[in-house]
């Protein structure tokens, strides 16, 4: 069976990675404009690097949870395209063989001058020289607001081909990810939302499973792998 799965911050929250939109989330401490836009990076690259250096360290300490491991099990039984808005590597460490990071990854560095990419150090600075062109223009390889998410052609194709489309732990407030369920439904897929509460696009789903990801995701996967 062809299954496309979109995951958001909610799947990693139970591993201790704070979300952006919770009342105690990361946006409570920082303005989006300051740490998640190209303009913010140009204004204060030091602040942006400190923000993502902390996130990188937090992600390195976190461990995959039962929801991450369940999706890896699903991929052993079905043809799964796993798409994530998350920038951590918990899906990979949880055993998923292939993950599409549409918003980039904390494990990547990007040269703002030439576009070269390389593995990120645990602590990054703008003054780090690009291995490609030598420019001191290092930034995290993260898709910021106002930038185009990665791998969109591949994502749309997988969603169109899916027999089941599932969104797990997403707010439904960030596009184009929030539009994938509607696209899948138009293409004839069975759509299911797995979340603590209804998302902003809950009406785009034919089914809803409510509860913590570590409970509802393994239960859902079990029904598909029988």
């Amino acid at each position: 069976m062809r299954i496309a799965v979109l995951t958001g911050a909610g799947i990693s929250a139970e591993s201790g990675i704070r979300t952006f939109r919770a009342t105690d989330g990361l946006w409570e401490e920082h303005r989006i404009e300051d740490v998640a836009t190209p303009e913010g990076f140009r204004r204060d690259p030091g602040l942006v690097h400190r923000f993502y250096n902390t996130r990188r360290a937090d992600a390195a300490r976190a461990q995959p949870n039962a929801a991450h491991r369940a999706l890896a099990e699903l991929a052993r039984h079905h043809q799964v395209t796993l798409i994530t808005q998350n920038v951590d590597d918990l899906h990979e460490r949880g055993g998923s063989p292939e993950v599409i990071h549409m918003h980039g990854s904390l494990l990547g560095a990007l040269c703002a001058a030439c576009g070269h990419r390389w593995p990120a150090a645990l602590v990054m600075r703008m003054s780090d020289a690009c291995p490609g062109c030598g420019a001191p223009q290092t930034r995290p390889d993260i898709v910021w607001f106002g930038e185009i998410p990665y791998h969109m052609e591949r994502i749309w194709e997988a969603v169109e081909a899916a027999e089941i489309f599932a969104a797990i732990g997403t707010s439904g407030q960030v596009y184009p990810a929030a539009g994938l369920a509607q696209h899948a439904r138009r293409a004839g897929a069975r759509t299911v939302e797995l979340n603590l509460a209804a998302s902003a696009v809950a009406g785009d789903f034919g089914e809803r499973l409510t509860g913590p990801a570590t409970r509802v995701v393994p239960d859902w996967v079990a029904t598909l792998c029988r």
Side-chain angles (χ1 to χ4, degrees):
M1 185 182 299
R2 296 185 304 278
I3 304 172
V5 177
L6 170 70
T7 66
I11 199 169
S12 293
E14 291 178 80
S15 292
I17 296 181
R18 294 166 64 196
T19 67
F20 285 93
R21 299 180 186 278
T23 54
D24 63 344
L26 293 167
W27 293 146
E28 295 291 308
E29 300 171 5
H30 298 277
R31 295 194 318 150
I32 292 173
E33 296 85 352
D34 293 335
V35 296
T37 65
E39 295 78 15
F41 182 68
R42 286 193 290 269
R43 282 194 305 270
D44 193 342
L47 171 65
V48 173
H49 275 298
R50 288 192 297 273
F51 176 77
Y52 287 100
N53 287 342
T54 299
R55 294 198 65 201
R56 195 175 298 108
D58 289 345
R61 286 190 293 267
Q63 295 299 316
N65 62 48
H68 296 107
R69 293 191 293 272
L71 291 178
E73 177 67 16
L74 184 65
R76 287 189 278 273
H77 291 81
H78 296 286
Q79 183 181 331
V80 175
T81 300
L82 180 52
I83 306 154
T84 189
Q85 296 172 273
N86 298 339
V87 294
D88 61 62
D89 64 339
L90 293 181
H91 281 304
E92 288 89 343
R93 288 195 276 139
S96 287
E98 187 173 5
V99 185
I100 301 175
H101 284 269
M102 66 184 299
H103 290 163
S105 170
L106 290 166
L107 300 184
L110 172 66
C111 178
C114 75
H116 183 72
R117 290 179 168 84
W118 67 97
L122 184 61
V123 176
M124 289 172 53
R125 303 172 183 83
M126 187 180 181
S127 58
D128 296 338
C130 167
C133 71
Q137 293 287 323
T138 293
R139 56 163 279 185
D141 192 9
I142 302 291
V143 176
W144 288 328
F145 287 91
E147 297 181 326
I148 299 172
Y150 298 152
H151 314 298
M152 285 310 303
E153 183 175 349
R154 182 180 171 197
I155 290 169
W156 289 122
E157 288 176 355
V159 169
E160 287 176 0
E163 297 167 76
I164 297 176
F165 173 82
I168 302 169
T170 62
S171 67
Q173 296 179 356
V174 177
Y175 285 84
L180 294 180
Q182 190 176 86
H183 191 68
R185 200 168 184 177
R186 283 198 300 264
R190 170 186 161 196
T191 54
V192 56
E193 178 175 84
L194 301 89
N195 219 339
L196 275 174
S199 74
V201 292
D204 293 339
F205 294 89
E207 304 169 45
R208 184 179 308 133
L209 300 174
T210 303
T214 53
R215 175 173 60 81
V216 297
V217 176
D219 288 350
W220 175 69
V221 167
T223 66
L224 296 173
C225 295
R226 285 175 186 158

